[in-house]
Amino acid sequence: MTKSITSPVKNVLWNILGTLSVILGVVGIVLPLLPTTPFLLLASACFFRGSPKFHAWLLAHPKLGPVIADWDNHRSIAPGVRVKGGLFIILSFALSIILVSSYWLKLALFLLFVAIFTFFLRIPVKQSVADNSENH
């Protein structure tokens, strides 16, 4: 019979995975083709399980927290996130396609771009309360 991992060890493992996810998410802000939001959402889920203190810190972060909170609360992203994210996706893929020399890689990157950008555009955009028709 195998022993189960004790709770403090599980917490440490969740926190390590959460920290790595935050690092990858932040690196993804500037590195082409590395996504930011999925890693931040993974970090939030890991910290939720591993450390309420780290989870609270991530949600309170002025730049990272609102994106996670919108997703947690509304399963949507803010309009500004949609614009910035779309621009970064387009620019990073365009740069990557320009820099690679193989036509097969260019085609693969283009197809990956189409898939990721299509998925990204399907994420609902959070509407402000003032946009609701009952407020007009």
Side-chain angles (χ1 to χ4, degrees), residues 20-53:
L20 290 173
S21 297
V22 168
I23 291 168
L24 288 171
V26 170
V27 169
I29 293 171
V30 294
L31 191 63
L33 302 181
L34 186 64
T36 299
T37 304
F39 285 115
L40 295 179
L41 296 176
L42 177 60
S44 176
C46 292
F47 288 152
F48 180 79
R49 289 166 179 79
S51 170
K53 181 180 175 182

Side-chain angles (χ1 to χ4, degrees), residues 2-123:
T2 61
K3 291 184 178 180
S4 66
I5 299 175
T6 61
S7 183
V9 173
K10 279 185 182 180
N11 290 346
V12 168
L13 293 175
W14 282 121
N15 291 335
I16 289 171
L17 183 57
T19 301
L20 290 173
S21 297
V22 168
I23 291 168
L24 288 171
V26 170
V27 169
I29 293 171
V30 294
L31 191 63
L33 302 181
L34 186 64
T36 299
T37 304
F39 285 115
L40 295 179
L41 296 176
L42 177 60
S44 176
C46 292
F47 288 152
F48 180 79
R49 289 166 179 79
S51 170
K53 181 180 175 182
F54 289 157
H55 188 252
W57 167 82
L58 188 59
L59 289 176
H61 191 278
K63 296 290 183 185
L64 308 178
V67 175
I68 296 167
D70 283 343
W71 184 257
D72 285 348
N73 297 328
H74 308 288
R75 292 293 187 249
S76 64
I77 58 175
V81 171
R82 160 76 52 90
V83 171
K84 289 176 191 172
L87 286 175
F88 275 108
I89 291 170
I90 291 169
L91 291 174
S92 65
F93 271 96
L95 178 64
S96 299
I97 290 170
I98 290 168
L99 292 177
V100 298
S101 58
S102 168
Y103 289 109
W104 291 107
L105 283 177
K106 289 179 186 284
L107 178 61
L109 284 169
F110 178 74
L111 293 174
L112 185 61
F113 163 74
V114 170
I116 290 173
F117 200 63
T118 300
F119 172 78
F120 181 73
L121 291 177
R122 293 176 49 96
I123 298 172

